[in-house]
Amino acid sequence: MKRFIFLAIISIFLISGLSAEEENPIKFKIEKTSPSVYLLKVAYPENFGIQKEAPHRILLNPGSGLKVVSAELKLKGKTSTRKKEYFESVEPMQLKLEGKGELEIHAKIFYCDYNRNICIPGKILQKEIIQ
């Protein structure tokens, strides 16, 4: 009986640990500025920062009917006043797209939660519809 209770407690901790995985606070927003030019913006909460010298990766995967003509996907921005190795804000990145369809954004962005003092490589998969 003690063994069963012990296994039940361990199972509960494992299940709660797996379901307690936090949602990534980093999101992308796409804004149209002209017929084929878009801005890809990185949005994140105020108490977070994006690491400046990290191997960030952003890949664009256009669906049928959509073509990526050009994309400048390097993160640049204003340095954080809290920690000099982080961006306080990231400048929008310019995209040139042709056509209409679904655009998948696959990214790995290294960010820091200042309140909890932890840094995490966030994996992002986001889908946007381009009209």
Side-chain angles (χ1 to χ4, degrees), residues 22 48 83 86 111-120:
E22 296 178 20
F48 286 79
K83 294 187 178 187
Y86 296 94
Y111 65 92
C112 185
D113 180 343
Y114 296 137
N115 292 342
R116 295 177 20 197
N117 200 29
I118 59 170
C119 298
I120 305 161

Side-chain angles (χ1 to χ4, degrees), residues 43-120:
Y44 50 95
E46 191 174 298
N47 59 323
F48 286 79
I50 304 291
Q51 291 181 358
K52 290 172 72 174
E53 299 296 325
H56 304 292
R57 186 180 72 230
I58 302 172
L59 301 172
L60 303 176
N61 185 20
S64 63
L66 186 65
K67 179 181 176 185
V68 177
V69 177
S70 67
E72 175 60 42
L73 299 175
K74 182 164 174 49
L75 297 182
K76 301 174 196 168
K78 182 180 173 187
T79 301
S80 173
T81 55
R82 290 183 179 183
K83 294 187 178 187
K84 301 294 182 204
E85 60 272 9
Y86 296 94
F87 290 118
E88 184 171 301
S89 60
V90 176
E91 295 174 5
M93 297 165 276
Q94 187 170 334
L95 308 175
K96 289 188 181 179
L97 306 172
E98 289 181 353
K100 297 178 182 181
E102 186 176 81
L103 179 67
E104 281 187 356
I105 304 168
H106 298 266
K108 187 173 186 181
I109 305 291
F110 294 80
Y111 65 92
C112 185
D113 180 343
Y114 296 137
N115 292 342
R116 295 177 20 197
N117 200 29
I118 59 170
C119 298
I120 305 161

